[in-house]
Amino acid sequence: MAAGPLLRMQVRRDGATAVLRLAGEADVATASRLEVRLNDVVRDRAVRRVVVEASELGFLDLAGLDVLLRSADELRRRGGELVLRAPTRRVQRLLQVLSAPLPVED
């Protein structure tokens, strides 16, 4: 029997803000699915702010981080923002080590 998805994603929209809840692992195996979901959100011109809820994101590698950074750049170009909410310690450590320019909020 196949294992469940390594990354679970749920999007909720509230006006100009979209909240993308991630649970599991955002890595090389799941980055393409994350990219598709984030592209759908970011391409919606009504969305000005994307909050990535990361409290259940157990693992983030460079492939997953790259997807987040590219989406953040796209939003910034049109005056919006992407923020990471409540990342786990493991994810926070990766951001610190790489000096990744992603705003984090509690």
Side-chain angles (χ1 to χ4, degrees), residues 7 11 19 21 25 33 37 58 70 75 78 80 83 89 92 94-96 102 104-105:
L7 180 63
V11 176
V19 178
R21 175 180 231 101
E25 302 175 2
R33 288 182 43 239
R37 181 63 63 96
R70 282 187 279 127
L75 282 164
R78 31 179 253 246
V83 298
R89 285 183 178 254
Q92 284 179 2
L94 176 68
L95 297 174
Q96 290 169 347
L102 272 180
V104 174
E105 66 182 26

Side-chain angles (χ1 to χ4, degrees), residues 19-99:
V19 178
L20 173 62
R21 175 180 231 101
L22 300 179
E25 302 175 2
D27 59 16
V28 68
T30 60
S32 62
R33 288 182 43 239
L34 176 59
E35 183 172 31
V36 167
R37 181 63 63 96
L38 260 175
N39 282 344
D40 286 345
V41 173
V42 170
R43 287 184 179 139
D44 181 344
R45 293 293 183 175
V47 173
R48 306 291 292 162
R49 185 169 197 256
V50 174
V51 177
V52 177
E53 168 59 54
S55 63
E56 295 179 44
L57 186 61
F59 183 75
L60 177 69
D61 74 0
L62 293 177
L65 179 59
D66 183 55
V67 170
L68 294 174
L69 291 172
R70 282 187 279 127
S71 294
D73 285 345
E74 175 66 26
L75 282 164
R76 252 190 311 272
R77 279 193 289 276
R78 31 179 253 246
E81 70 173 341
L82 181 145
V83 298
L84 205 56
R85 178 181 290 158
T88 60
R89 285 183 178 254
R90 189 177 213 178
V91 170
Q92 284 179 2
R93 182 68 183 137
L94 176 68
L95 297 174
Q96 290 169 347
V97 166
L98 297 176
S99 299

